[in-house]
Amino acid sequence: MRSLTLAEARERSSLITVTSYAVELDLDQGAEVFGSRTVVRFACAEPGADSWVDLKARSVETVSLNGAPLDPASAADGRLALTGLAADNELVVAATMAYSHDGQGLHRATDPADDLDYVYGHLFLDAAPSVYACFDQPDLKAPYDVTVHAPLDWTVLGNGAAEQTSPGTWTLATTKPLATYFMTVCAGPYVSVRDEHDGIPLGVHARASLREPLERHAAELFDVTKRSFDYFHGLFGIRYPFGEYHQVFVPEFNAGAMENPGCVTFRDQYLYRGAATRDELLTRANTVSHEMSHMWFGDIVTMKWWDDLWLNESFAEYMSHRCLVDATEYTDAWVDSSIVRKVWGYGAERSPSTHPVAGVEALDAQSALQNFDGISYAKGAATLRQLIAYVGDDQFIAGVRAYLTDKSYGNGTLADFLGAIETASGKDLEAWSRGWLLTADRDTISVEIEEQDGLVERAVMNRQSPPDRPADRPHAFDVAGWTDGRELGRVRATITAPETTLAELEGTPEPAVLVPNASDLTWARVRLSDSTVAALPTQLAQIPDGQARAVVWSSLIDGVHGATTSPEAFLEVFDAAWPHETNSSILTRVAAYAEHRVVPYFVPRDQQEAALARLNRAGVGLLERATAGTTESLAAARLVAGTSDDETLLRAWADGKGLPAGLEEDGDFRWIVVRNLASRGLIDVADIDGFRAKDDTLQGGLNALLCRASLPRAEAKAWAWEQLTGRQGRSNYEMVHLARGFWAASDDALVADYVPRYFTDVPAMSAWVGEDALSRVVLVAFPRVFTDETARLSAEAISRDDLTPAVHRSLVDADAELREALASRATFAAAV
């Protein structure tokens, strides 16, 4: 089905004004299809003109326009033609729709724990027509009246407050004007915990089998929700307008969450079944606050077209971290951002697919989806921090308030937003915007020191703009230095030239470690000096500033990817500093990055066991010292479980014996152990099935698939490949878990024959897998056989002209990671 183009959207919005939607869904027609009846009332600026409505139905039963029947067969290629429109129109469409199993549209999943079915709507970016007939573009907003018929034992939730008006029939309150992709319905035997705050009814909901973790985590979820409401009400000066506020934890969700007004959907992995580290709770709290901030930026005011997606996501990314720091216990949220979000964003910036934060004209809806990445989120948030430094925080908030007030329940653009900030601040943002928003890539910043007698004689900050994407970006940030844990100097400055003398550092003691952008206020490649990198094994753990430590780790990760830092240097710092890390985000994320990225990608296959042994020793050391039940203990135990080659220990832990305190009943931890056993060939399919029997849940089934795909046997790989790439009816999550396990192998020969098959079999899946889900499968399933032949096949695949936009973008990004690994291995050929 063709994607809506920008030209078509502009033409249609100049012609059509949607007055209202009345949507009636019948979810009581079995497991495969549901009924959909839509009444759309809309005005036409040019009576007699033609247009179309978007409709992706299994079958269309009846259609009428202004009382006159239309031929249902005229619906084709995702569109229903409308001819001879009146000034005021009423379109009625009755259709049968198909449930999805790829996380898009109206997704239906069965929970194997109790065989109960759950439904939720995820209509981003262009999936709304698979649920109801609509003018599917973000600038044609309208209020909704929704009615749902469901099985008698189901609960229904949606954008408006839901009331059961008769057995099995639910009526939802009329909404404020919404963009089509925000409409949602969640239905099934959900369990709930309810509360109220400041006159707003609150609810959190999940599958029945997750009742215990839902109830255990409800107080924390409500606390973050209430604090976020208070913070945003005060900051924006506009009350939340969408009635009740429900947060629904749903199965097999493609993203982290979705900001449907009044009914936010989250991936239900956020309801941690077992032990959770502090950074995992911080991540969830950040997601709660992120989605709530969207109620203002995205929901009250929606971007006019998808090319201004950054207006939604950059804003929410920035505001959620600001809210956590100012209003919750998670005052180290920006540290988490540095080691999680910005590492993700820097990866996107390194890829050939990099793009400006704003101003990239998306010619159609699906191409816009390809820029829904770490640049729109993490770089956009960093850019907003630089904007605040440039205009002032009070002026920024005044501009935001004016923008939200002026555009309430309508649409906004980059020009509208910057205009509001310019008016509030009195500053011209044209040059600033050109450098920060409209030019891709990032500057490299570094400091050169000249010393004499142990003192800094001269310090120069260098700012190097990418030669192929030159830009003049002012940077407001700081530089700080430490020796043996003592801060010897810190300079805060706004850098506007390629070279800037840091006079404040002159005459201060030369530090062992000097960190540009120590507070991580700007977006740049931080190049640490050779002397600083050499000192890190003994110095990094002593630096008391967690934010600066996160910047150092981020710089090391960036350097490994860019072949300027060897994996050996990274592992040396890990050996010495990681076991003494006190920030939970740094502790857990750096361990995961070392185990799942640095070793498998940048260390040659024949040296990986030795590298994993180093990680394991660090984990064992920390586990022996850490207080039981703490984040330190849990992070260490997970690292040991994933890297140990001690079969006796692993089998004992898998059987629940001798476990670290607090993990005795933790099924998710057991699966880490089982996967390690499986990838080493120490268990077989029957053993995996036995562990699955102990955890007969949705998550247990997914982990069992991952473990079975990890078995280092030819028959296991053949089975996994067929389950992944054949039409086996696998869900989006099942495909991703199969892909995650497939390339696990101690020898490339076991999986080498599948490398060329990947480049034909996986792109072909676009015939039955949605773009959003398939983009993830393409990335995760990309061959981990790091050879020139893989690179050649990859380049050939990228040059094809029959790839869908999502497949092409994911291939480009995966290919970039392959070439980073090859470059690093070629540069640092010595043993690790």
Side-chain angles (χ1 to χ4, degrees), residues 307-308 310 355-361 375 414 433 436-439:
D307 51 5
D308 277 327
W310 78 278
H355 56 88
V357 172
V360 180
E361 189 172 68
I375 293 173
L414 168 64
S433 175
W436 275 110
L437 296 178
L438 303 178
T439 307

Side-chain angles (χ1 to χ4, degrees), residues 552-571:
V552 168
W553 280 113
S554 175
S555 176
L556 290 174
I557 291 169
D558 211 21
V560 169
H561 280 273
T564 59
T565 300
S566 70
E568 169 65 20
F570 179 93
L571 291 172

Side-chain angles (χ1 to χ4, degrees), residues 451-456 508-511:
E451 66 86 24
Q452 185 172 358
D453 300 327
L455 299 178
V456 176
T508 64
E510 181 188 16

Side-chain angles (χ1 to χ4, degrees), residues 460-475:
V460 176
M461 169 61 66
N462 295 314
R463 183 200 70 176
Q464 182 181 358
S465 180
D468 54 341
R469 297 186 182 96
D472 185 13
R473 303 178 185 91
H475 292 265

Side-chain angles (χ1 to χ4, degrees), residues 335 540-550 553 574 576-588 590 622 625 631-632:
V335 178
L540 181 57
Q542 299 184 65
I543 296 175
D545 186 336
Q547 187 69 74
R549 296 197 306 275
W553 280 113
F574 187 94
W578 179 84
H580 305 285
E581 181 55 58
T582 57
N583 180 272
S584 62
S585 298
I586 300 174
L587 186 73
T588 62
V590 169
L622 177 57
R625 297 192 309 273
T631 287
E632 290 80 6

